[in-house]
Amino acid sequence: MSEKTPAPVTFRDLPAVDDVLSRLAERYPHTLIVAETRRVLERFRAEIRAGRSPAESVEEAVTRSLQGLRAPSLKPVINATGVILHTNLGRAPLGALAPIAGYSNLEYDLGTGRRGKRDVHLSTLFDRLLGAPAIAVNNNAAAVFLALHELAAGGEAIVSRGELIEIGDGFRIPDIMQRSGAALREVGTTNRTRIEDYRDAITDRTRLIMRVHPSNFHVSGFTAKPTLDELSGLARERGIPLYEDLGSGCLVDLTAYGVAEPLVGESLKAGVDLVSFSGDKLLGGPQAGLLAGRADLVTRLRRNPMFRALRLDKLILEAMGATLQAILFEEHDRVPALAMITQGLDQIRERAIRLAANIPGAEVLAGESVVGGGSTPDQALPTWLICVDGDAVAIERLLRRNDPPVVARIQNERLVIDLRTVFAEEEKDLLEALLLALRRT
């Protein structure tokens, strides 16, 4: 005997707001229940007008909505993609950090009992790491804007055409320059710029020579550009500051591990007057933009009114301080991004074999990880991948909807797991999520 098809829901079947309120009043605030109930009723009426019957009751929909509001939107994610600085997953993964509860000496000098500056919590660490003063703002785009606004507003900044890059999400160097009040003076060509191009472009309106490291792309072939020594020599000769935006912000030499990126310290030693770089890329810390260099220039930047609008929050300062301390004392295992880059290939293989033994039909194959995050273009790190049979699209979707969510990648129509970016303590949750997804597909 076949089951009866449920009668379509009509406007008369919808409950009054007070009915829902009476059943949920003990669990949630009165005004919140009323507001969410009205939103749900409005949605249900639209579905009925469109000839569809809602799949759940109003009370169920309101309860689910309220539970969703109570649950944090920002949540831990297991990154099994092998992309270390995954832009959509927060770039550099943060290490363990216990934020200071209550009050702190953020801007209070405990020695003198007077107002202090929040810069001091990072300045000493930067001085030891770079041998130069530095300040921090909320991201590297802000750092570029601040440098141009202070040092070149009302004048010209000379930049090679080959360095007029887009730094992500539609933000382009020429646009930032325009907003800062600095006029752009392009020199050279896309693929070749000579020191004479910079020299010929200098006028009485020139305020800055700017060098931009193409950290998110690579140009090869018939190319040329001046060395930092040549640019710094010209800058000193003409009394114009040389500013370099390095983007990725590498403080640790990683060439032995297959990552070739210019070091901030090397640029400063080559005579660059001011360097800007990101805090959440190869530095391995939280989102921030750092500016380091000549003391007089850093002082000017700090006194710029825009600095206050762009400065760091106390939580970011704490996280950045912990990251810089770990780098200073060469405790790179405390900086997850650096630990992932320097992880031994044999160790990844052993972990992959051990985990794959519990996954039906899985095999371990050689593959590649990438640093990501708009850095190290055309550079990959060798790794070992767990390749899983089955409906890759369906498995990937179920993993994303797991608790905790797992983000993997599909390669050659197979789901692959790269343990380089999976913390050891996450392996159990990863395995459980994967086995559950396989059973469901």
Side-chain angles (χ1 to χ4, degrees), residues 143-360:
V144 173
F145 175 86
L146 181 62
L148 292 170
H149 186 266
E150 174 58 35
L151 303 179
E156 293 181 346
I158 300 175
V159 189
S160 168
R161 283 189 174 88
E163 296 172 3
L164 296 176
I165 65 171
E166 181 174 312
I167 60 177
D169 198 26
F171 289 95
R172 297 177 173 180
I173 290 294
D175 297 337
I176 295 175
M177 296 183 77
Q178 183 181 17
R179 295 283 183 173
S180 72
L184 170 65
R185 182 67 181 271
E186 300 178 37
V187 297
T189 63
T190 302
N191 60 321
R192 294 179 71 84
T193 304
R194 301 177 177 84
I195 191 66
E196 290 78 12
D197 295 322
Y198 289 89
R199 188 185 302 277
D200 294 342
I202 295 175
T203 68
D204 57 359
R205 296 194 68 241
T206 304
R207 301 290 181 270
L208 198 66
I209 297 175
M210 185 176 180
R211 171 83 165 259
V212 183
H213 172 59
S215 59
N216 58 358
F217 71 98
H218 181 250
V219 178
S220 60
F222 187 59
T223 64
K225 65 179 182 180
T227 65
L228 284 179
D229 288 334
E230 289 179 306
L231 283 175
S232 63
L234 175 61
R236 286 194 301 272
E237 173 191 323
R238 304 302 293 268
I240 302 167
L242 172 60
Y243 163 48
E244 182 177 28
D245 175 35
L246 275 180
S248 295
C250 198
L251 298 188
V252 178
D253 188 352
L254 299 171
T255 52
Y257 304 97
V259 176
E261 275 287 293
L263 299 175
V264 176
E266 292 301 315
S267 289
L268 294 173
K269 289 179 183 178
V272 176
D273 297 298
L274 186 71
V275 179
S276 62
F277 52 100
S278 292
D280 57 349
K281 292 188 178 181
L282 288 173
L283 192 153
Q287 176 182 297
L290 296 314
L291 290 144
R294 263 173 42 190
D296 61 320
L297 298 183
V298 173
T299 298
R300 284 179 58 184
L301 296 176
R302 198 197 179 286
R303 290 175 178 168
N304 187 294
M306 289 302 301
F307 175 69
R308 184 176 180 85
L310 303 173
R311 66 183 182 176
L312 295 187
D313 166 75
K314 58 188 174 185
L315 295 177
I316 304 300
L317 277 171
E318 187 178 356
M320 181 59 71
T323 303
L324 295 177
Q325 284 178 336
I327 294 174
L328 180 62
F329 286 93
E330 300 182 8
E331 297 168 347
H332 298 159
D333 57 320
R334 289 176 49 206
V335 183
L338 298 181
M340 291 172 179
I341 291 172
T342 60
Q343 187 174 180
L345 192 58
D346 290 342
Q347 181 185 3
I348 298 174
R349 184 172 182 269
E350 290 172 6
R351 292 175 63 199
I353 291 174
R354 186 172 60 251
L355 196 68
N358 299 287
I359 304 169

